[in-house]
C-alpha cells in the first residue's frame, strides 16, 4: 500500500512510521497557519500566577532583523494567515513593538495579548495598522483587586475604554477587543459581572482556569471541583454580553490540542521553535497537587534552519500526528501518576513519546489561550 501511494504521487514527501504494530503514512505538508511569536520574555509586572515566577531563564528580546527573517520564512507556507504576539512576556514593552507589528501586518492578520499598561502610548498606531484583535488580561472586576493577578483592574478597564474610544475617533472596526479572565477561588465571584464589559466595547471574553506554578497558586485552582454557583450564574447571563469561550472545570476524557488542530507553532524570542506555549520554557507546574517539571522543547531554531525544514522534520510531523490523535499517555487521570517516574517531568511518557503531553491542561480545555 505504501509503495502504491508513493508511485501515485512522487512529488509529495511522506513519513512512514510504525505505530501499534502497524504502519502509518504521514504526508509532510506546508500547512502552518498561525505563528505565535514571543518577541520578548520580559514583563513590566511580576505576578505570582505567571510562569516566570518559577523559572530561571535569562531575559531577552527578538531583534527586528530576526523577526523579518521569520516573516520571510513564513512566506513559504501558502496557508499561513496570522501572527499572534504572545508567549510569556509582555509584547508591548519590546522597544520596537510597533515596527514588528507593521512588519507582520504587511503580509498577515495580526493580533496580540497585553496587560494594557502601555496602551495609551500605542493605541493610535495599532488602530492605524489594522491590528485584528487585542486581548487584555483581566482577573477581577473593579474595584476589587486580585493579588495573584495582573495590573490593577481599573487600570485595565481604562486601557480598554481608551482603545475603544480611539477606534471610534478613527472610525475603525478594528481591532476587536477581547478579555482573558483567569478564574481562581479569589475571583470566581466576579464571573457574573463580566457581561458588563460589553458596555466598553469588549466583543469576546476567554475564561481560563489558572495553571498553578506553585503550591500557593495550586490552592487557588477551582478546576477538578466541578461547576459552582458563580459559574452557573455567569452562564445564564452570557446571552446579554460578548462572545464567550468557556473552559472545563472537571477532567474529561476527550483531549484536543488547539495548537496542533489550528496548525500553529510558537517561536521564542531567541528563534527556538516550540509546538505550544506549555513547552516554550522550563518551569514547574502543579497538577491537582502533584509537582511536574515542564522542560522546554524545541524542534529547531530559525537562526540555524529555516522554518520550512523545521516544520517538516520527521519528529515534528510525528509529534503533531500523535497529539492530534491522542496517542499519548493520560497522566492527569492515571492512578499511578503520584509514584510514576514518567509523570514527574515532560521529558517522555510511558508510551515512548518525547516530549510528554500527558499532563497538559490545555488539551483538557482546563486552560485556554486566544
Amino acid at each position: 500500500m505504501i509503495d502504491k501511494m508513493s508511485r501515485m504521487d512522487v512529488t509529495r514527501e511522506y513519513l512512514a512510521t510504525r505505530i501499534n504494530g502497524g504502519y502509518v503514512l504521514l504526508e509532510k505538508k506546508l500547512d502552518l497557519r498561525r505563528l505565535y511569536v514571543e518577541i520578548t520574555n520580559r514583563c513590566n509586572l511580576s505576578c505570582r500566577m505567571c510562569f516566570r515566577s518559577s523559572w530561571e531563564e535569562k531575559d531577552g528580546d527578538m531583534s527586528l532583523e530576526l523577526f523579518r527573517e521569520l516573516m520571510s520564512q513564513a512566506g513559504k507556507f501558502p496557508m499561513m494567515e496570522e501572527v499572534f504576539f504572545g508567549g510569556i512576556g509582555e509584547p508591548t514593552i519590546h522597544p520596537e513593538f510597533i515596527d514588528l507589528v507593521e512588519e507582520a501586518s504587511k503580509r498577515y492578520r495580526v493580533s496580540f495579548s497585553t496587560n494594557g499598561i502601555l496602551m495609551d502610548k500605542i493605541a493610535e498606531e495599532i488602530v492605524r495598522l489594522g491590528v485584528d484583535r487585542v486581548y487584555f488580561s483581566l482577573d477581577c472586576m473593579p474595584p476589587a483587586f486580585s493579588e495573584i493577578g495582573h495590573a490593577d483592574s481599573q487600570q485595565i478597564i481604562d486601557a480598554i475604554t481608551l482603545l475603544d474610544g480611539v477606534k471610534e475617533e478613527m472610525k475603525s472596526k478594528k481591532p476587536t477587543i477581547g478579555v482573558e479572565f483567569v478564574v481562581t477561588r479569589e475571583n470566581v465571584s466576579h464571573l457574573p459581572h463580566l457581561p458588563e464589559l460589553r458596555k466598553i466595547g469588549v466583543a469576546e471574553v476567554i475564561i481560563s482556569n489558572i495553571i498553578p506554578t506553585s503550591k500557593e497558586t495550586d490552592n487557588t485552582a477551582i478546576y477538578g471541583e466541578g461547576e459552582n454557583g458563580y459559574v452557573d450564574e455567569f452562564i445564564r447571563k452570557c446571552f446579554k454580553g460578548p462572545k464567550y469561550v468557556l473552559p472545563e472545570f472537571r477532567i474529561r476524557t476527550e483531549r484536543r490540542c488547539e495548537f496542533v488542530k489550528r496548525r500553529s507553532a510558537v517561536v521564542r524570542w531567541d528563534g527556538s521553535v516550540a509546538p505550544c506555549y506549555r513547552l516554550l520554557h522550563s518551569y514547574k507546574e502543579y497538577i491537582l497537587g502533584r509537582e511536574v517539571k515542564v522542560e522546554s522543547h524545541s524542534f529547531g531554531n530559525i537562526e540555524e534552519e529555516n522554518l520550512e525544514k523545521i516544520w517538516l522534520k520527521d519528529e515534528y510531523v510525528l509529534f503533531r500526528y500523535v497529539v492530534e490523535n491522542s496517542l499519548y499517555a493520560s497522566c492527569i487521570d492515571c492512578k499511578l501518576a503520584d509514584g510514576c517516574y514518567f509523570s514527574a517531568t515532560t521529558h517522555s511518557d510511558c508510551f515512548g513519546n518525547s516530549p510528554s503531553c500527558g499532563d497538559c491542561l490545555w488539551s483538557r480545555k482546563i486552560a485556554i489561550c486566544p
Side-chain angles (χ1 to χ4, degrees), residues 54-77:
S54 66
W55 77 22
E56 296 180 1
E57 296 191 15
K58 65 178 183 179
D59 292 342
D61 297 337
M62 179 178 288
S63 69
L64 181 57
E65 292 71 27
L66 182 58
F67 184 77
R68 284 173 174 161
E69 176 60 28
L70 173 60
M71 292 298 95
S72 175
Q73 293 183 20
K76 301 293 184 180
F77 295 83

PDB file of all heavy atoms in Angstrom, residues 54-77:
ATOM      1  N   SER A  54       8.492  30.874  38.322  1.00  0.00           N
ATOM      2  CA  SER A  54       9.099  29.591  38.690  1.00  0.00           C
ATOM      3  C   SER A  54      10.180  29.136  37.717  1.00  0.00           C
ATOM      4  O   SER A  54      10.501  27.965  37.650  1.00  0.00           O
ATOM      5  CB  SER A  54       8.012  28.508  38.786  1.00  0.00           C
ATOM      6  OG  SER A  54       7.434  28.246  37.520  1.00  0.00           O
ATOM      7  N   TRP A  55      10.752  30.073  36.950  1.00  0.00           N
ATOM      8  CA  TRP A  55      11.823  29.653  36.043  1.00  0.00           C
ATOM      9  C   TRP A  55      13.102  30.411  36.346  1.00  0.00           C
ATOM     10  O   TRP A  55      13.126  31.405  37.059  1.00  0.00           O
ATOM     11  CB  TRP A  55      11.398  29.791  34.579  1.00  0.00           C
ATOM     12  CG  TRP A  55      11.399  31.184  33.980  1.00  0.00           C
ATOM     13  CD1 TRP A  55      12.090  32.275  34.403  1.00  0.00           C
ATOM     14  CD2 TRP A  55      10.677  31.600  32.821  1.00  0.00           C
ATOM     15  NE1 TRP A  55      11.851  33.342  33.583  1.00  0.00           N
ATOM     16  CE2 TRP A  55      10.996  32.966  32.607  1.00  0.00           C
ATOM     17  CE3 TRP A  55       9.810  30.981  31.932  1.00  0.00           C
ATOM     18  CZ2 TRP A  55      10.460  33.700  31.541  1.00  0.00           C
ATOM     19  CZ3 TRP A  55       9.289  31.714  30.883  1.00  0.00           C
ATOM     20  CH2 TRP A  55       9.599  33.047  30.693  1.00  0.00           C
ATOM     21  N   GLU A  56      14.185  29.901  35.785  1.00  0.00           N
ATOM     22  CA  GLU A  56      15.488  30.554  35.892  1.00  0.00           C
ATOM     23  C   GLU A  56      16.051  30.672  34.479  1.00  0.00           C
ATOM     24  O   GLU A  56      16.943  29.939  34.079  1.00  0.00           O
ATOM     25  CB  GLU A  56      16.417  29.753  36.800  1.00  0.00           C
ATOM     26  CG  GLU A  56      15.946  29.671  38.248  1.00  0.00           C
ATOM     27  CD  GLU A  56      16.881  28.870  39.134  1.00  0.00           C
ATOM     28  OE1 GLU A  56      17.910  28.392  38.599  1.00  0.00           O
ATOM     29  OE2 GLU A  56      16.592  28.713  40.326  1.00  0.00           O
ATOM     30  N   GLU A  57      15.510  31.601  33.720  1.00  0.00           N
ATOM     31  CA  GLU A  57      15.944  31.809  32.347  1.00  0.00           C
ATOM     32  C   GLU A  57      16.341  33.265  32.166  1.00  0.00           C
ATOM     33  O   GLU A  57      15.817  34.156  32.837  1.00  0.00           O
ATOM     34  CB  GLU A  57      14.819  31.456  31.361  1.00  0.00           C
ATOM     35  CG  GLU A  57      14.433  29.998  31.389  1.00  0.00           C
ATOM     36  CD  GLU A  57      13.514  29.625  30.236  1.00  0.00           C
ATOM     37  OE1 GLU A  57      13.400  30.414  29.277  1.00  0.00           O
ATOM     38  OE2 GLU A  57      12.933  28.531  30.286  1.00  0.00           O
ATOM     39  N   LYS A  58      17.235  33.502  31.255  1.00  0.00           N
ATOM     40  CA  LYS A  58      17.656  34.879  31.005  1.00  0.00           C
ATOM     41  C   LYS A  58      16.584  35.611  30.199  1.00  0.00           C
ATOM     42  O   LYS A  58      15.817  35.011  29.452  1.00  0.00           O
ATOM     43  CB  LYS A  58      18.978  34.906  30.248  1.00  0.00           C
ATOM     44  CG  LYS A  58      18.941  34.340  28.834  1.00  0.00           C
ATOM     45  CD  LYS A  58      20.304  34.479  28.168  1.00  0.00           C
ATOM     46  CE  LYS A  58      20.256  33.971  26.722  1.00  0.00           C
ATOM     47  NZ  LYS A  58      21.573  34.118  26.049  1.00  0.00           N
ATOM     48  N   ASP A  59      16.543  36.924  30.409  1.00  0.00           N
ATOM     49  CA  ASP A  59      15.605  37.756  29.667  1.00  0.00           C
ATOM     50  C   ASP A  59      16.188  38.099  28.296  1.00  0.00           C
ATOM     51  O   ASP A  59      17.407  38.181  28.130  1.00  0.00           O
ATOM     52  CB  ASP A  59      15.327  39.054  30.430  1.00  0.00           C
ATOM     53  CG  ASP A  59      14.552  38.821  31.710  1.00  0.00           C
ATOM     54  OD1 ASP A  59      13.942  37.744  31.828  1.00  0.00           O
ATOM     55  OD2 ASP A  59      14.563  39.701  32.588  1.00  0.00           O
ATOM     56  N   GLY A  60      15.289  38.339  27.330  1.00  0.00           N
ATOM     57  CA  GLY A  60      15.767  38.712  26.014  1.00  0.00           C
ATOM     58  C   GLY A  60      14.652  39.188  25.105  1.00  0.00           C
ATOM     59  O   GLY A  60      13.478  38.911  25.343  1.00  0.00           O
ATOM     60  N   ASP A  61      15.034  39.926  24.071  1.00  0.00           N
ATOM     61  CA  ASP A  61      14.113  40.422  23.060  1.00  0.00           C
ATOM     62  C   ASP A  61      14.508  39.869  21.695  1.00  0.00           C
ATOM     63  O   ASP A  61      15.703  39.731  21.396  1.00  0.00           O
ATOM     64  CB  ASP A  61      14.149  41.956  22.973  1.00  0.00           C
ATOM     65  CG  ASP A  61      13.711  42.633  24.252  1.00  0.00           C
ATOM     66  OD1 ASP A  61      12.992  41.994  25.040  1.00  0.00           O
ATOM     67  OD2 ASP A  61      14.088  43.802  24.455  1.00  0.00           O
ATOM     68  N   MET A  62      13.530  39.585  20.862  1.00  0.00           N
ATOM     69  CA  MET A  62      13.802  39.203  19.485  1.00  0.00           C
ATOM     70  C   MET A  62      14.185  40.452  18.694  1.00  0.00           C
ATOM     71  O   MET A  62      13.517  41.482  18.794  1.00  0.00           O
ATOM     72  CB  MET A  62      12.574  38.540  18.847  1.00  0.00           C
ATOM     73  CG  MET A  62      12.773  38.130  17.395  1.00  0.00           C
ATOM     74  SD  MET A  62      11.323  37.288  16.677  1.00  0.00           S
ATOM     75  CE  MET A  62      11.410  35.702  17.518  1.00  0.00           C
ATOM     76  N   SER A  63      15.255  40.365  17.935  1.00  0.00           N
ATOM     77  CA  SER A  63      15.677  41.515  17.144  1.00  0.00           C
ATOM     78  C   SER A  63      14.742  41.713  15.958  1.00  0.00           C
ATOM     79  O   SER A  63      14.095  40.767  15.491  1.00  0.00           O
ATOM     80  CB  SER A  63      17.105  41.325  16.643  1.00  0.00           C
ATOM     81  OG  SER A  63      17.166  40.288  15.671  1.00  0.00           O
ATOM     82  N   LEU A  64      14.685  42.954  15.466  1.00  0.00           N
ATOM     83  CA  LEU A  64      13.872  43.248  14.299  1.00  0.00           C
ATOM     84  C   LEU A  64      14.370  42.466  13.096  1.00  0.00           C
ATOM     85  O   LEU A  64      13.574  41.991  12.270  1.00  0.00           O
ATOM     86  CB  LEU A  64      13.904  44.756  14.007  1.00  0.00           C
ATOM     87  CG  LEU A  64      13.081  45.255  12.814  1.00  0.00           C
ATOM     88  CD1 LEU A  64      11.613  44.871  12.960  1.00  0.00           C
ATOM     89  CD2 LEU A  64      13.234  46.771  12.667  1.00  0.00           C
ATOM     90  N   GLU A  65      15.676  42.282  12.999  1.00  0.00           N
ATOM     91  CA  GLU A  65      16.258  41.530  11.877  1.00  0.00           C
ATOM     92  C   GLU A  65      15.814  40.070  11.905  1.00  0.00           C
ATOM     93  O   GLU A  65      15.449  39.500  10.865  1.00  0.00           O
ATOM     94  CB  GLU A  65      17.795  41.611  11.923  1.00  0.00           C
ATOM     95  CG  GLU A  65      18.388  42.982  11.649  1.00  0.00           C
ATOM     96  CD  GLU A  65      18.145  43.968  12.786  1.00  0.00           C
ATOM     97  OE1 GLU A  65      17.997  43.516  13.949  1.00  0.00           O
ATOM     98  OE2 GLU A  65      18.089  45.184  12.495  1.00  0.00           O
ATOM     99  N   LEU A  66      15.826  39.468  13.101  1.00  0.00           N
ATOM    100  CA  LEU A  66      15.405  38.071  13.210  1.00  0.00           C
ATOM    101  C   LEU A  66      13.919  37.941  12.911  1.00  0.00           C
ATOM    102  O   LEU A  66      13.482  36.983  12.263  1.00  0.00           O
ATOM    103  CB  LEU A  66      15.713  37.525  14.611  1.00  0.00           C
ATOM    104  CG  LEU A  66      15.373  36.049  14.840  1.00  0.00           C
ATOM    105  CD1 LEU A  66      16.117  35.155  13.857  1.00  0.00           C
ATOM    106  CD2 LEU A  66      15.692  35.638  16.276  1.00  0.00           C
ATOM    107  N   PHE A  67      13.132  38.905  13.361  1.00  0.00           N
ATOM    108  CA  PHE A  67      11.700  38.855  13.085  1.00  0.00           C
ATOM    109  C   PHE A  67      11.428  38.977  11.586  1.00  0.00           C
ATOM    110  O   PHE A  67      10.564  38.271  11.052  1.00  0.00           O
ATOM    111  CB  PHE A  67      10.971  39.968  13.838  1.00  0.00           C
ATOM    112  CG  PHE A  67       9.476  39.917  13.677  1.00  0.00           C
ATOM    113  CD1 PHE A  67       8.716  38.995  14.381  1.00  0.00           C
ATOM    114  CD2 PHE A  67       8.827  40.778  12.798  1.00  0.00           C
ATOM    115  CE1 PHE A  67       7.338  38.924  14.222  1.00  0.00           C
ATOM    116  CE2 PHE A  67       7.454  40.730  12.631  1.00  0.00           C
ATOM    117  CZ  PHE A  67       6.704  39.804  13.346  1.00  0.00           C
ATOM    118  N   ARG A  68      12.144  39.853  10.914  1.00  0.00           N
ATOM    119  CA  ARG A  68      11.984  39.984   9.464  1.00  0.00           C
ATOM    120  C   ARG A  68      12.350  38.685   8.759  1.00  0.00           C
ATOM    121  O   ARG A  68      11.696  38.279   7.798  1.00  0.00           O
ATOM    122  CB  ARG A  68      12.837  41.131   8.952  1.00  0.00           C
ATOM    123  CG  ARG A  68      12.248  42.505   9.243  1.00  0.00           C
ATOM    124  CD  ARG A  68      13.205  43.613   8.878  1.00  0.00           C
ATOM    125  NE  ARG A  68      12.569  44.928   9.029  1.00  0.00           N
ATOM    126  CZ  ARG A  68      13.234  46.072   9.126  1.00  0.00           C
ATOM    127  NH1 ARG A  68      14.570  46.067   9.078  1.00  0.00           N
ATOM    128  NH2 ARG A  68      12.579  47.205   9.269  1.00  0.00           N
ATOM    129  N   GLU A  69      13.386  38.018   9.259  1.00  0.00           N
ATOM    130  CA  GLU A  69      13.766  36.730   8.691  1.00  0.00           C
ATOM    131  C   GLU A  69      12.659  35.700   8.918  1.00  0.00           C
ATOM    132  O   GLU A  69      12.352  34.893   8.034  1.00  0.00           O
ATOM    133  CB  GLU A  69      15.069  36.255   9.327  1.00  0.00           C
ATOM    134  CG  GLU A  69      15.543  34.872   8.887  1.00  0.00           C
ATOM    135  CD  GLU A  69      15.791  34.760   7.390  1.00  0.00           C
ATOM    136  OE1 GLU A  69      16.109  35.774   6.743  1.00  0.00           O
ATOM    137  OE2 GLU A  69      15.649  33.633   6.854  1.00  0.00           O
ATOM    138  N   LEU A  70      12.043  35.732  10.092  1.00  0.00           N
ATOM    139  CA  LEU A  70      10.935  34.829  10.384  1.00  0.00           C
ATOM    140  C   LEU A  70       9.771  35.075   9.437  1.00  0.00           C
ATOM    141  O   LEU A  70       9.165  34.129   8.911  1.00  0.00           O
ATOM    142  CB  LEU A  70      10.480  35.015  11.837  1.00  0.00           C
ATOM    143  CG  LEU A  70       9.224  34.261  12.275  1.00  0.00           C
ATOM    144  CD1 LEU A  70       9.405  32.756  12.114  1.00  0.00           C
ATOM    145  CD2 LEU A  70       8.870  34.613  13.723  1.00  0.00           C
ATOM    146  N   MET A  71       9.429  36.331   9.198  1.00  0.00           N
ATOM    147  CA  MET A  71       8.336  36.655   8.284  1.00  0.00           C
ATOM    148  C   MET A  71       8.660  36.180   6.859  1.00  0.00           C
ATOM    149  O   MET A  71       7.776  35.711   6.131  1.00  0.00           O
ATOM    150  CB  MET A  71       8.072  38.155   8.291  1.00  0.00           C
ATOM    151  CG  MET A  71       7.492  38.697   9.601  1.00  0.00           C
ATOM    152  SD  MET A  71       5.863  37.997  10.039  1.00  0.00           S
ATOM    153  CE  MET A  71       6.352  36.651  11.141  1.00  0.00           C
ATOM    154  N   SER A  72       9.912  36.303   6.464  1.00  0.00           N
ATOM    155  CA  SER A  72      10.322  35.831   5.138  1.00  0.00           C
ATOM    156  C   SER A  72      10.175  34.320   5.042  1.00  0.00           C
ATOM    157  O   SER A  72       9.668  33.788   4.042  1.00  0.00           O
ATOM    158  CB  SER A  72      11.768  36.241   4.872  1.00  0.00           C
ATOM    159  OG  SER A  72      12.229  35.709   3.652  1.00  0.00           O
ATOM    160  N   GLN A  73      10.603  33.612   6.103  1.00  0.00           N
ATOM    161  CA  GLN A  73      10.490  32.150   6.105  1.00  0.00           C
ATOM    162  C   GLN A  73       9.029  31.707   6.151  1.00  0.00           C
ATOM    163  O   GLN A  73       8.658  30.701   5.539  1.00  0.00           O
ATOM    164  CB  GLN A  73      11.265  31.577   7.294  1.00  0.00           C
ATOM    165  CG  GLN A  73      12.769  31.776   7.202  1.00  0.00           C
ATOM    166  CD  GLN A  73      13.512  31.142   8.364  1.00  0.00           C
ATOM    167  OE1 GLN A  73      12.994  30.248   9.056  1.00  0.00           O
ATOM    168  NE2 GLN A  73      14.731  31.597   8.612  1.00  0.00           N
ATOM    169  N   ALA A  74       8.196  32.452   6.874  1.00  0.00           N
ATOM    170  CA  ALA A  74       6.773  32.112   6.957  1.00  0.00           C
ATOM    171  C   ALA A  74       6.101  32.218   5.603  1.00  0.00           C
ATOM    172  O   ALA A  74       5.081  31.560   5.348  1.00  0.00           O
ATOM    173  CB  ALA A  74       6.079  33.028   7.966  1.00  0.00           C
ATOM    174  N   GLY A  75       6.652  33.049   4.713  1.00  0.00           N
ATOM    175  CA  GLY A  75       6.083  33.208   3.377  1.00  0.00           C
ATOM    176  C   GLY A  75       6.126  31.957   2.525  1.00  0.00           C
ATOM    177  O   GLY A  75       5.465  31.892   1.484  1.00  0.00           O
ATOM    178  N   LYS A  76       6.873  30.952   2.967  1.00  0.00           N
ATOM    179  CA  LYS A  76       6.939  29.673   2.232  1.00  0.00           C
ATOM    180  C   LYS A  76       5.695  28.823   2.454  1.00  0.00           C
ATOM    181  O   LYS A  76       5.497  27.825   1.758  1.00  0.00           O
ATOM    182  CB  LYS A  76       8.179  28.894   2.689  1.00  0.00           C
ATOM    183  CG  LYS A  76       9.498  29.615   2.474  1.00  0.00           C
ATOM    184  CD  LYS A  76       9.819  29.766   1.004  1.00  0.00           C
ATOM    185  CE  LYS A  76      11.208  30.407   0.832  1.00  0.00           C
ATOM    186  NZ  LYS A  76      11.550  30.571  -0.604  1.00  0.00           N
ATOM    187  N   PHE A  77       4.871  29.208   3.425  1.00  0.00           N
ATOM    188  CA  PHE A  77       3.693  28.412   3.772  1.00  0.00           C
ATOM    189  C   PHE A  77       2.453  29.051   3.131  1.00  0.00           C
ATOM    190  O   PHE A  77       2.023  30.132   3.546  1.00  0.00           O
ATOM    191  CB  PHE A  77       3.523  28.336   5.287  1.00  0.00           C
ATOM    192  CG  PHE A  77       4.638  27.612   5.988  1.00  0.00           C
ATOM    193  CD1 PHE A  77       5.821  28.277   6.315  1.00  0.00           C
ATOM    194  CD2 PHE A  77       4.520  26.266   6.307  1.00  0.00           C
ATOM    195  CE1 PHE A  77       6.855  27.608   6.956  1.00  0.00           C
ATOM    196  CE2 PHE A  77       5.543  25.594   6.944  1.00  0.00           C
ATOM    197  CZ  PHE A  77       6.729  26.267   7.269  1.00  0.00           C
TER     198      PHE A  77
END
